[in-house]
Amino acid sequence: MAKLFNLKILTPERAFFDGDVEAVTANAPDGSVMVLADHAPFIMPVSIGNIGIKQNDKWDMSVNSDGFMEVHRDGVLIFVQTCEHPEEIDERRAMEAKKRAEEHLRQKQSMSEYKQSKIELARAMARLQVGSKFSSLET
């Protein structure tokens, strides 16, 4: 049996997850990072994408916005602006957000507007990716 550690995922609105896990993955600016029990402590930024949680030899995925992760000797804390379970994702709404963000990127914008459009597109793409995986599991 794999060694367990405590994982907490917090957003400003709610405690998204709090429990013992075998592993967790999150996106960093330069790639994906996996943490197992007894990992050396560190802090890193978390990029928009997916957080994977492994419990009982099964991976569950969620969609997250940006934030940061703290790995401590006694567990992991992930702080993100938003985090959603696949069943919470409205694929139609995510597709509309993707189209809006793509249209905004085609228009001439200030640098800050361009960056915001890139963030919106990344968030929509992450939602669609996890949402479509969840939909295919239901059928």
Side-chain angles (χ1 to χ4, degrees):
M1 182 172 169
K3 191 169 180 182
L4 302 178
F5 62 93
N6 184 261
L7 169 67
K8 290 182 183 169
I9 302 174
L10 305 173
T11 75
E13 287 84 32
R14 64 181 172 162
F16 179 79
F17 183 88
D18 186 357
D20 291 334
V21 300
E22 299 167 31
V24 62
T25 62
N27 293 334
D30 56 352
S32 183
V33 174
M34 179 185 287
V35 177
L36 301 171
D38 298 325
H39 198 290
F42 69 91
I43 297 175
M44 72 169 213
V46 173
S47 300
I48 295 171
N50 305 317
I51 295 176
I53 300 169
K54 185 176 181 184
Q55 289 182 301
N56 303 318
D57 291 324
K58 181 178 169 253
W59 284 96
D60 290 316
M61 300 301 287
S62 59
V63 177
N64 65 280
S65 64
D66 54 350
F68 64 95
M69 174 166 58
E70 294 181 1
V71 177
H72 302 277
R73 295 196 191 289
D74 57 345
V76 175
L77 293 169
I78 299 177
F79 300 95
V80 289
Q81 288 298 314
T82 61
C83 203
E84 299 170 286
H85 295 284
E87 60 271 16
E88 296 173 324
I89 297 169
D90 182 341
E91 285 192 60
R92 182 187 57 77
R93 200 171 124 221
M95 184 59 76
E96 290 170 1
K98 175 183 177 276
K99 289 177 184 176
R100 272 192 316 275
E102 289 172 335
E103 181 58 35
H104 287 150
L105 287 172
R106 283 191 276 277
Q107 299 170 0
K108 291 186 178 182
Q109 302 177 357
S110 69
M111 188 55 84
S112 64
E113 290 171 325
Y114 175 79
K115 288 178 183 178
Q116 184 61 38
S117 295
K118 293 284 284 184
I119 291 168
E120 290 170 6
L121 179 59
R123 188 171 30 226
M125 295 297 292
R127 283 181 173 138
L128 289 170
Q129 181 184 25
V130 169
S132 66
K133 286 179 185 176
F134 177 74
S135 296
S136 65
L137 292 175
E138 286 185 320
T139 57

